[in-house]
Amino acid sequence: MTRGSRKSWQYFGLGLAWFYLLLWPLLGIRDGELHFADAFAVWLRVAVGATICFVLYRLGKAGRLDGVLNPLAAARDALGDSLSRAPRWMLLTPVIVFALVFPMLTNRYAQDVAINVLVYICLGLGLNVVVGLCGLLDLGYIAFYGVGAYTYALLSVHYAVPFWVCLPICAVFAAVAGCFIGYPTLRMRGDYLAIVTLGFGEIVRIVINNWMALTGGPNGILGIKSPGVYIPHFVDGSFSFEYLLLRKLEYLYYVILALAAFTIVAVHRINFSRIGRAFEAIREDETAAELMGVDTFRFKLLAYALGAVFGGLAGAFFAARMRFVSPESFTFIESAMVLAMVVLGGMGSIPGVILGALALVALPEAFREFELYRMLAFGGAMAVMMLVRPAGLWPAARMGKRSDDTE
């Protein structure tokens, strides 16, 4: 065994020991006392699986698995080439069909999880415009989500404005909020901009929480109307339209599916437009982009406004679905969750953000029966992903790579 290999095993053993010390207080507490066996049983299963994976990793790194890995790599490359040559509609058709028939094949629980995933896809793609395309770290993005939700709540409760009429209004109000925060702060860069956006998100939440006359404060707003549609109605040979409220989960699923599809198409068009190329130029090197004639301030302000639009749309649907809004739904944890989806999936990548939303929303639900330590396993899986695939689950094809010597 070489010195490097021996050191790797030492680090691996220390990692397993650290993992047990972390696991023991979480799983070994019973009747106010720490019990060794309860935590050790879980740790042993994890340690065996991790050891097998580590041994396979070391064998692969030493080249002893080439006879197995090379054919798999060749098959993967051949599959990738065939998929790249296939028409795009052939790849998208199964996904679209599955999305359309999903409520017919699943129960209420699965539909509820799918609705949450689609809401976070809208939020993740909106933040992806700001963080992934333009390279601006925004830690208060959930504020635009709250602006959209409260805009629809107030218009629905006080003025009985229909959901479909409120959607563009919520988008406009969210875009105005994006410009409001962007105009005085976009001269900043990096950590300073992140701190300011974090402060803006908290300011919005505190204002919502304390403006009792308008928002109801901590009590929130009740009585929000669900989306509705007019359907043809035939009675005794006469024809009329009947207004149907979409309160069932399967109906709401199709509403958010339409919003998510609109968001995907819009972000894709932005990405491959002249505006998208300007965003990418700012992300890669703002100074060079400005020297090349890109109005960096105007385009960064536009990125904030566009990203806020999709957050406002998702917020309007959230209020319509829950029929109740309160400040507790728009905390910093939600902003961090959406940002984690963008980073985990791949910044600037639409499929990556979708995978990130599935990973952070759907997968924890699959491990709900392991409630005591599912979040621990979830956090460990995220840490491993950041080490194995630092660019994300599905990196953007056009994501530039800076050279380390160009400072």
Side-chain angles (χ1 to χ4, degrees):
M1 181 181 292
T2 63
R3 181 178 180 182
S5 178
R6 186 164 53 249
K7 183 168 289 189
S8 297
W9 277 103
Q10 291 174 354
Y11 287 143
F12 179 72
L14 288 174
L16 288 179
W18 171 85
F19 178 70
Y20 180 75
L21 291 177
L22 182 65
L23 199 66
W24 190 10
L26 294 176
L27 301 181
I29 297 178
R30 190 175 69 245
D31 300 328
E33 298 180 0
L34 285 174
H35 296 271
F36 174 84
D38 294 338
F40 183 78
V42 177
W43 175 85
L44 185 61
R45 292 195 291 268
V46 176
V48 170
T51 303
I52 293 173
C53 294
F54 186 73
V55 169
L56 293 175
Y57 167 75
R58 294 299 305 176
L59 291 175
K61 194 171 183 180
R64 297 181 183 179
L65 297 178
D66 290 346
V68 177
L69 296 179
N70 289 339
L72 292 177
R76 181 198 62 190
D77 294 340
L79 179 60
D81 293 339
S82 61
L83 290 177
S84 63
R85 289 194 298 266
R88 183 172 296 177
W89 64 267
M90 290 183 62
L91 303 177
L92 293 179
T93 299
V95 177
I96 295 173
V97 171
F98 175 76
L100 291 175
V101 303
F102 182 81
M104 308 173 191
L105 306 174
T106 54
N107 55 18
R108 287 178 55 85
Y109 174 72
Q111 293 166 16
D112 190 58
V113 174
I115 289 173
N116 287 334
V117 170
L118 290 171
V119 169
Y120 277 103
I121 285 175
C122 293
L123 291 173
L125 290 175
L127 184 60
N128 189 47
V129 174
V130 182
V131 177
L133 296 183
C134 204
L136 305 173
L137 183 56
D138 187 353
L139 297 180
Y141 181 76
I142 210 67
F144 309 130
Y145 185 48
V147 169
Y150 270 89
T151 299
Y152 174 62
L154 293 171
L155 292 176
S156 174
V157 171
H158 297 296
Y159 302 101
V161 182
F163 173 78
W164 305 107
V165 177
C166 283
L167 273 181
I169 299 175
C170 294
V172 170
F173 271 79
V176 170
C179 294
F180 180 78
I181 178 59
Y183 186 79
T185 61
L186 284 180
R187 301 293 182 187
M188 303 177 182
R189 299 184 184 181
D191 298 338
Y192 302 102
L193 177 62
I195 293 171
V196 171
T197 56
L198 172 62
F200 171 74
E202 286 301 298
I203 288 171
V204 170
R205 186 187 63 81
I206 291 171
V207 168
I208 291 173
N209 192 56
N210 290 281
W211 197 346
M212 295 291 297
L214 181 66
T215 65
N219 298 324
I221 300 177
L222 279 167
I224 304 170
K225 298 294 184 183
S226 299
V229 293
Y230 286 97
I231 60 174
H233 185 61
F234 297 91
V235 178
D236 298 331
S238 62
F239 172 76
S240 62
F241 286 96
E242 182 180 1
Y243 189 71
L244 175 65
L245 287 176
L246 306 178
R247 291 179 177 175
K248 293 184 177 180
L249 279 180
E250 55 263 33
Y251 298 153
L252 292 173
Y253 169 83
Y254 287 113
V255 174
I256 187 59
L257 180 64
L259 290 177
F262 168 77
T263 303
I264 291 171
V265 173
V267 173
H268 180 269
R269 299 290 294 176
I270 292 171
N271 191 10
F272 291 93
S273 67
R274 182 179 63 87
I275 295 174
R277 290 192 292 272
F279 288 163
E280 290 182 352
I282 295 172
R283 179 192 68 203
E284 298 305 322
D285 195 322
E286 185 175 344
T287 304
E290 193 167 5
L291 291 175
M292 293 299 293
V294 177
D295 190 344
T296 57
F297 180 80
R298 183 166 64 90
F299 277 104
K300 288 196 293 184
L301 192 63
L302 180 61
Y304 260 96
L306 290 175
V309 164
F310 303 116
L313 294 177
F317 173 81
F318 173 79
R321 175 202 174 193
M322 303 302 295
R323 287 180 278 171
F324 168 75
V325 289
S326 65
E328 288 78 14
S329 301
F330 312 107
T331 59
F332 168 70
I333 297 300
E334 294 295 319
S335 289
M337 185 83 165
V338 179
L339 181 62
M341 293 174 188
V342 176
V343 176
L344 179 64
M347 292 193 297
S349 169
I350 294 176
V353 172
I354 296 173
L355 287 179
L358 285 170
L360 293 185
V361 179
L363 282 185
E365 295 296 330
F367 294 100
R368 182 169 290 275
E369 60 185 32
F370 306 106
E371 188 173 358
L372 288 176
Y373 47 89
R374 65 174 180 138
M375 294 307 295
L376 178 64
F378 174 58
M382 282 193 62
V384 171
M385 282 303 306
M386 290 296 99
L387 293 173
V388 176
R389 295 188 65 86
L393 294 172
W394 193 318
R398 297 199 303 167
M399 181 67 73
K401 297 179 180 179
R402 283 187 179 181
S403 175
D404 293 334
D405 55 354
T406 55
E407 293 292 336

